[in-house]
């Protein structure tokens, strides 16, 4: 014989299940095949506060912390910063004199460091990014590096 | 031979090394740098297009464009993306079209420049002649002034001097006319303000306006001081004025275009226009007054007239009224009136004035023909009915009566004979 207590429990379980279904069936949409590839790198000079921007692409960020990480506290800002966005949407950033290329993931009003790719021991002389999907090509004089968000591709 | 072979091999290796390094260099070129180079080359060509002066320079630029096009062709895909919404092809095509337009513009300016150079030479040549005429005119004007002071001055002398001045006026009118007819071939609209100013200065330097003004001044002065000239002289002056006006109206617009930016020169043209109007008024007044006087002196009372239309209307009215009068009955008086008019018309007006009246657009040959035809009609109608005609008319009536009687008699005879046979 099913008691009143059991019936109430059954009712509560049904309500909870309905709620779960309702949440699961809420508005959800994912667009695919997104290509974030920036056709050409941006070259920007940091202002006195360390901000760089590309007006055409509508992006700006501060490179002070990046410079500290690369060169240490008190180091002067580089004359120019070069950055490019890969097809996957990651930003690759470097500058002349840097030994590394920094890979950033886009967050809400922030760029989150995902990977540091070491490319030089004595500092890059004249680095330049090229979009070569699925890679990002870094050239420095006669040297070429193929980069992905995870590091050197070769 | 062996050394040569080693040298050849070394040279080949060197070439290969250079070629390889070049390839490497090209392989790792920065897209950003390529875009910057393209922007720089594009700006350079654009700048050069602004400063080119010859079609040869434009041709060189076209070659440079071809080379630029092929140099960046391999990077077209990347450039198309970064130049969006334009493309590499659009940029190069735009530059080519601009170069072609510049080339056409330079060619056109060159043709106009040639025309202007020829014209300037012509002006120099003609103004030398005009100077010579000017000196002669000054001397003649002095003589005229002396004559005016002298009581011995007479119309014949004035006419002689006037003829001399006329030659000069005619020359200057033709000179200015020929210059401006040629200037009409230059598209003044397409000249830059600087070029127009140059043209204006050139015309001013040669003092073309000065010559034009002197023609007007001379004529005004002459008309103001010589009222004793004949109708023929005044009609001749009238035709000169009409010819001058035609020339002035043709070139007035061009002059305004050339001098548009120069207020002072604009005033100068305004002053010449005023003088031309004064000249026209004086010659108009003198011509119609002497013409009217000439008819009156020959006992031909025309209705008053002050212009060509009124003059022609007066002539027609006069002849039409005479014809209407004669139609009511010819008479010796009418014949005499006709003869008086015909003598003046065929003896003075047509042989001496017709040419100038037509030249000055005051009358046409058709107008003269119309009057001639009416005169023929007037002559016919004016004749009085003669006695011979009356006698002939009487004889004709008598003859008709006789013939009528004979016919009636002939008709009566057969009827009588027929009645006799019946009985």
């Amino acid at each position: 014989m099913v008691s009143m207590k059991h019936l109430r429990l059954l009712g509560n379980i049904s309500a909870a299940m309905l709620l779960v279904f309702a949440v699961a069936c809420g508005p959800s949409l994912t667009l695919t095949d997104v290509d974030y590839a920036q056709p050409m790198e941006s070259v920007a000079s940091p202002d006195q506060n360390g901000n760089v921007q590309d007006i055409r692409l509508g992006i700006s960020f501060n490179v002070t912390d990046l410079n500290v990480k690369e060169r240490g506290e008190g180091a002067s800002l580089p004359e120019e910063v070069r950055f490019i966005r890969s097809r996957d949407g990651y930003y690759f950033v470097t500058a002349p004199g840097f030994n590394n290329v920094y890979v950033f993931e886009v967050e809400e009003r922030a760029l989150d460091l995902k990977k540091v790719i070491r490319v030089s021991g004595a500092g890059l002389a004249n680095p330049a990014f090229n979009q070569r999907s699925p890679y990002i090509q870094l050239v420095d004089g006669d040297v070429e590096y193929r980069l992905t968000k995870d590091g050197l591709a070769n | 031979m062996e050394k040569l072979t080693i040298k050849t091999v070394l040279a080949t290796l060197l070439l290969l090394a250079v070629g390889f390094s070049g390839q490497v260099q090209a392989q790792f070129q920065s897209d950003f740098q390529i875009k910057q180079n393209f922007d720089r080359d594009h700006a350079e060509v654009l700048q050069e297009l602004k400063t080119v002066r010859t079609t040869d320079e434009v041709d060189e630029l076209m070659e440079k464009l071809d080379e630029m096009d092929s140099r960046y062709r391999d990077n077209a895909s990347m450039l198309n993306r970064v130049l969006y919404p334009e493309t590499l092809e659009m940029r190069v095509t735009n530059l080519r079209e601009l170069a072609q337009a510049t080339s056409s513009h330079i060619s056109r300016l060159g043709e106009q420049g040639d025309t202007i150079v020829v014209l300037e030479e012509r002006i120099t040549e003609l103004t030398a002649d005009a100077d010579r005429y000017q000196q002669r005119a000054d001397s003649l004007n002095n003589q005229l002034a002396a004559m005016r002071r002298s009581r011995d001055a007479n119309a014949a002398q004035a006419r002689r001097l006037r003829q001399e001045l006329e030659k000069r006026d005619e020359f200057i009118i033709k000179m200015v006319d020929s210059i401006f007819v040629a200037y009409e071939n230059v598209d003044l609209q397409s000249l830059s303000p600087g070029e127009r100013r140059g043209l204006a200065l050139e015309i001013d330097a040669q003092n073309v306006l000065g010559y034009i003004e002197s023609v007007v001044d001379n004529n005004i002065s002459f008309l103001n001081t010589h009222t004793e000239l004949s109708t023929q002289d005044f009609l001749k002056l009238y035709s000169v004025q009409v010819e001058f006006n035609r020339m002035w109206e043709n070139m007035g617009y061009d002059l305004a275009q050339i001098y548009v930016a120069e207020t002072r020169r604009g005033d100068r043209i305004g002053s010449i226009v005023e003088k031309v109007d004064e000249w026209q008024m004086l010659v108009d007044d003198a011509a119609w007054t002497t013409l009217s006087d000439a008819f009156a002196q020959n006992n031909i009372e025309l209705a008053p007239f002050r212009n060509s239309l009124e003059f022609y209307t007066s002539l027609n009215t006069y002849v039409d009224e005479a014809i209407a009068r004669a139609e009511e009955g010819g008479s010796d008086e009418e014949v005499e009136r006709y003869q008086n008019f015909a003598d003046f018309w065929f003896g003075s007006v047509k042989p001496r004035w017709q040419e100038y009246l037509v030249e000055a657009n005051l009358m046409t040959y058709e107008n003269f023909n119309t009057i001639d035809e009416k005169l023929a009609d007037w002559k016919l109608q004016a004749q009085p009915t003669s006695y011979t005609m009356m006698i002939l008319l009487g004889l004709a009536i008598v003859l008709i009566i006789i013939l009528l009687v004979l016919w009636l008699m002939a008709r009566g005879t057969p009827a009588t004979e027929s009645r006799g046979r019946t009985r």
Side-chain angles (χ1 to χ4, degrees):
Chain A
M1 194 64 185
V2 181
S3 69
M4 198 63 176
K5 193 178 174 184
H6 287 122
L7 281 172
R8 195 172 292 124
L9 181 65
L10 194 64
N12 286 342
I13 290 168
S14 301
M17 282 180 74
L18 275 171
L19 187 68
V20 168
F21 271 112
V23 170
C25 297
S28 173
L29 178 66
T30 303
L31 303 182
T32 57
D33 293 332
V34 180
D35 186 346
Y36 290 106
Q38 185 180 320
M40 195 178 67
E41 67 173 336
S42 300
V43 180
S45 296
D47 64 13
Q48 56 187 6
N49 299 318
N51 291 317
V52 292
Q53 66 171 339
D54 186 327
I55 296 170
R56 196 168 48 91
L57 296 176
I59 181 171
S60 67
F61 52 89
N62 193 289
V63 294
T64 311
D65 292 342
L66 176 69
N67 193 47
V68 169
K69 186 171 175 59
E70 173 72 24
R71 290 172 160 173
E73 204 70 51
S76 61
L77 288 165
E79 280 188 12
E80 61 177 32
V81 173
R82 307 179 87 102
F83 58 93
I84 192 166
R85 196 174 192 186
S86 68
R87 192 176 69 171
D88 306 329
Y90 292 91
Y91 276 98
F92 290 70
V93 186
T94 194
F98 277 25
N99 292 322
N100 304 299
V101 170
Y102 295 83
V103 184
F104 290 95
E105 200 170 356
V106 177
E107 293 293 332
E108 192 171 323
R109 291 221 62 204
L111 290 173
D112 230 20
L113 183 63
K114 178 173 173 60
K115 179 83 182 173
V116 178
I117 307 169
R118 188 166 183 83
V119 285
S120 169
L124 295 164
N126 190 20
F129 289 119
N130 290 329
Q131 186 66 252
R132 299 288 183 267
S133 290
Y135 307 107
I136 292 294
Q137 183 190 48
L138 172 71
V139 294
D140 186 27
D142 298 342
V143 189
E144 176 213 19
Y145 306 94
R146 288 183 177 187
L147 314 173
T148 68
K149 68 181 190 324
D150 301 316
L152 288 166
N154 48 0
Chain B
M1 188 68 186
E2 198 178 325
K3 277 182 180 175
L4 189 68
T5 312
I6 290 166
K7 272 185 180 177
T8 312
V9 169
L10 282 173
T12 312
L13 284 172
L14 188 66
L15 276 172
L16 281 171
V18 168
F20 181 72
S21 69
Q23 271 190 333
V24 167
Q25 191 102 19
Q27 194 180 347
F28 297 139
Q29 206 172 1
S30 152
D31 289 351
F32 182 81
Q33 193 58 48
I34 292 168
K35 167 69 167 40
Q36 279 202 321
N37 291 346
F38 176 78
D39 286 343
R40 190 197 58 225
D41 290 348
H42 184 272
E44 262 179 29
V45 173
L46 210 56
Q47 184 57 36
E48 282 177 47
L49 273 173
K50 288 178 190 168
T51 53
V52 284
R53 288 281 172 271
T54 64
T55 49
D56 287 345
E57 286 176 348
V58 177
D59 290 343
E60 276 176 31
L61 263 182
M62 287 293 237
E63 282 173 22
K64 195 172 174 176
L65 266 173
D66 291 340
E67 188 271 323
M68 186 177 151
D69 191 15
S70 62
R71 183 147 39 95
Y72 290 103
R73 189 54 59 190
D74 290 343
N75 301 106
S77 169
M78 183 271 293
L79 283 171
N80 287 347
R81 284 201 300 275
V82 296
L83 291 172
Y84 181 83
E86 286 186 285
T87 61
L88 170 68
E89 194 178 344
M90 280 163 75
R91 283 278 185 100
V92 174
T93 305
N94 284 346
L95 286 178
R96 279 211 181 93
E97 285 175 357
L98 204 56
Q100 275 159 0
T102 307
S103 178
S104 308
H105 183 64
I106 288 171
S107 303
R108 208 166 52 247
L109 282 182
E111 285 163 16
Q112 290 186 343
D114 291 346
T115 314
I116 290 172
V117 168
V118 171
L119 285 169
E120 284 167 359
E121 285 169 4
R122 175 120 179 88
I123 292 175
T124 311
E125 190 183 304
L126 287 168
T127 43
D129 291 339
D131 278 338
R132 197 160 44 78
Y133 273 96
Q134 182 67 51
Q135 285 168 9
R136 176 81 181 129
D138 288 344
S139 141
L140 289 168
N141 276 328
N142 289 338
Q143 283 185 49
L144 276 172
M147 277 174 57
R148 281 199 293 279
R149 284 194 296 275
S150 161
R151 290 191 178 278
D152 300 333
N154 60 49
Q157 279 175 302
R159 251 199 314 277
R160 185 179 61 76
L161 292 173
R162 178 63 223 163
Q163 278 164 3
E164 293 285 334
L165 282 173
E166 252 173 38
K167 281 184 197 165
R168 172 185 169 272
D169 289 358
E170 199 180 328
F171 169 79
I172 287 172
I173 287 173
K174 278 182 183 162
M175 176 189 97
V176 176
D177 211 12
S178 70
I179 287 169
F180 278 90
V181 162
Y183 267 113
E184 277 172 13
N185 295 329
V186 180
D187 181 8
L188 292 169
Q189 297 283 13
S190 71
L191 297 182
S192 69
E195 287 165 330
R196 281 192 208 177
R197 207 159 27 250
L199 199 58
L201 287 172
E202 179 63 28
I203 291 171
D204 207 31
Q206 303 294 353
N207 204 15
V208 173
L209 282 181
Y211 290 121
I212 294 170
E213 201 167 13
S214 74
V215 170
V216 185
D217 282 340
N218 276 337
N219 278 280
I220 290 174
S221 161
F222 193 84
L223 286 164
N224 277 330
T225 49
H226 291 90
T227 51
E228 71 284 4
L229 296 182
S230 69
T231 309
Q232 187 179 352
D233 290 330
F234 281 117
L235 287 176
K236 213 186 280 184
L237 289 176
Y238 202 115
S239 63
V240 169
Q241 207 278 332
V242 167
E243 175 68 10
F244 181 91
N245 248 3
R246 185 193 59 75
M247 178 272 291
W248 179 250
E249 277 168 14
N250 279 347
M251 60 183 259
Y253 176 72
D254 289 340
L255 279 176
Q257 270 200 319
I258 294 167
Y259 288 115
V260 75
E262 307 289 339
T263 317
R264 190 182 64 77
R265 294 193 174 108
D267 291 346
R268 193 170 167 195
I269 289 175
S271 136
I272 296 176
V273 169
E274 272 178 31
K275 286 181 179 178
V276 171
D277 289 346
E278 186 187 348
W279 177 17
Q280 188 172 13
M281 194 194 70
L282 283 171
V283 78
D284 207 43
D285 192 47
W288 297 122
T289 305
T290 56
L291 205 55
S292 179
D293 289 349
F295 274 90
Q297 280 162 15
N298 285 277
N299 298 320
I300 301 165
E301 296 300 330
L302 297 180
F305 53 87
R306 302 300 302 165
N307 56 49
S308 58
L309 184 65
E310 285 179 11
F311 173 57
Y312 185 56
T313 309
S314 290
L315 276 176
N316 272 296
T317 308
Y318 185 86
V319 180
D320 287 343
E321 282 175 1
I323 292 167
R325 199 170 54 235
E327 275 172 350
E328 288 173 9
S331 65
D332 290 337
E333 290 82 36
E334 200 56 52
V335 171
E336 198 178 322
R337 273 196 219 109
Y338 161 78
Q339 204 54 53
N340 180 48
F341 188 93
D343 286 348
F344 184 57
W345 182 256
F346 293 110
S348 293
V349 178
K350 287 195 73 175
R352 286 161 59 195
W353 305 344
Q354 179 176 260
E355 178 192 346
Y356 301 107
L357 284 164
V358 172
E359 221 168 73
N361 296 327
L362 298 176
M363 280 181 77
T364 63
Y365 285 111
E366 285 75 25
N367 293 155
F368 277 94
N369 287 340
T370 305
I371 301 292
D372 287 353
E373 283 165 15
K374 287 186 177 180
L375 285 179
D377 194 18
W378 184 12
K379 184 182 181 181
L380 194 69
Q381 300 294 341
Q383 300 304 319
T385 315
S386 67
Y387 291 115
T388 318
M389 281 297 286
M390 292 291 279
I391 292 163
L392 284 172
L393 192 65
L395 283 173
I397 291 167
V398 169
L399 191 66
I400 287 166
I401 291 167
I402 292 167
L403 286 170
L404 194 66
V405 169
L406 286 172
W407 178 69
L408 286 171
M409 283 170 70
R411 202 178 160 210
T413 312
T416 316
E417 281 175 6
S418 170
R419 271 196 304 271
R421 271 199 299 272
T422 309
R423 278 178 199 151

